[in-house]
């Protein structure tokens, strides 16, 4: 049952991010109510899993949902750190580089992945976004005023961090 729960949580988060990516590509907007509901669900899920872990461990001294990184304090910390960092970027750039909807989505990444995986996801997001945006700018021959949706890159960074976090971290730690 533990694997089913993990699979459902991951599937729900991935499909939500995929929906937001497509929505961002089509409209260059992020639906406020959808992202706020997603944030609420992930906060609630983290609290629920954390409480369950605590009580199950107290009763039977066994671990619960070990393969999913939810219900830990670093999930909340990652959401707060990423949210604050991106909020500062949005305010400093006056929404020229990214919008306020992107803040909510990076908080989702932090709440789901925790530390340090969420930082890896954002690092990969920025690298992939920079490279692919430059390629796109060269392709369309427009460098000023080019608008590129950011959520698809967040999704890619999330997927790579989720699937290959250990491999990527060991690759960078070998330098």
């Amino acid at each position: 049952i533990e694997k089913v729960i993990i699979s459902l949580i991951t599937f729900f988060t991935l499909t939500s991010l995929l929906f937001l990516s497509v929505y961002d590509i089509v409209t260059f907007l992020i639906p406020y109510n959808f992202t706020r509901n997603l944030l609420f669900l992930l906060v609630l899920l983290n609290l629920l899993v954390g409480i369950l872990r605590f009580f199950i461990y107290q009763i039977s001294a066994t671990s619960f949902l070990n393969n999913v990184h939810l219900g830990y304090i670093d999930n909340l910390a990652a959401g707060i750190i990423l949210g604050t960092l991106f909020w500062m970027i949005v305010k400093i750039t006056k929404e020229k580089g990214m919008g306020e909807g992107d803040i909510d989505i990076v908080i989702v990444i932090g709440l789901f992945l925790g530390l340090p995986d969420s930082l890896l996801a954002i690092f990969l997001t920025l690298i992939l976004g920079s490279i692919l945006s430059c390629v796109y700018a060269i392709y369309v021959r427009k460098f000023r005023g080019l608008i590129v949706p950011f959520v698809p890159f967040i999704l890619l960074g999330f997927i790579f961090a989720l699937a290959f976090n250990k491999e990527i971290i060991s690759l960078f730690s070998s330098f």
Side-chain angles (χ1 to χ4, degrees), residues 12-33:
F12 173 74
T13 306
L14 278 170
T15 54
S16 296
L17 290 172
L18 180 62
F19 166 75
L20 290 168
S21 295
V22 172
Y23 197 93
D24 193 23
I25 290 169
V26 173
T27 66
F28 294 101
L29 297 170
I30 297 168
Y32 177 81
N33 289 335

Side-chain angles (χ1 to χ4, degrees), residues 62-161:
T62 60
S63 57
F64 175 70
L65 289 176
N66 261 349
N67 296 328
V68 66
H69 195 81
L70 290 172
Y72 295 108
I73 194 72
D74 69 305
N75 290 74
L76 182 59
I80 292 170
I81 290 167
L82 292 176
T84 303
L85 177 66
F86 275 71
W87 178 82
M88 290 182 350
I89 292 169
V90 166
K91 293 304 173 191
I92 289 170
T93 62
K94 298 182 176 115
E95 294 192 42
K96 297 280 185 203
M98 55 184 90
E100 289 194 10
D102 296 317
I103 299 168
D104 294 337
I105 296 172
V106 296
I107 294 172
V108 165
I109 300 300
L111 288 172
F112 188 87
L113 292 177
L115 291 172
D117 292 345
S118 60
L119 298 177
L120 174 63
I122 297 305
F123 174 74
L124 294 171
T125 295
L126 296 173
I127 296 295
L128 291 169
S130 298
I131 293 169
L132 295 175
S133 293
C134 287
V135 169
Y136 178 65
I138 292 168
Y139 176 74
V140 298
R141 296 188 174 150
K142 182 177 181 184
F143 299 96
R144 289 194 159 279
L146 183 65
I147 300 172
V148 179
F150 192 57
V151 180
F153 300 115
I154 297 174
L155 174 64
L156 288 174
F158 176 77
I159 290 170
F160 282 117

Side-chain angles (χ1 to χ4, degrees), residues 22-75:
V22 172
Y23 197 93
D24 193 23
I25 290 169
V26 173
T27 66
F28 294 101
L29 297 170
I30 297 168
Y32 177 81
N33 289 335
F34 185 86
T35 55
R36 290 299 161 120
N37 289 335
L38 182 59
L39 280 172
F40 174 76
L41 285 172
L42 277 172
V43 168
L44 192 65
L45 193 60
N46 269 290
L47 289 172
L48 181 65
V49 170
I51 291 168
L52 284 173
R53 274 198 177 123
F54 176 77
F55 283 114
I56 288 175
Y57 183 78
Q58 294 299 325
I59 293 169
S60 65
T62 60
S63 57
F64 175 70
L65 289 176
N66 261 349
N67 296 328
V68 66
H69 195 81
L70 290 172
Y72 295 108
I73 194 72
D74 69 305
N75 290 74

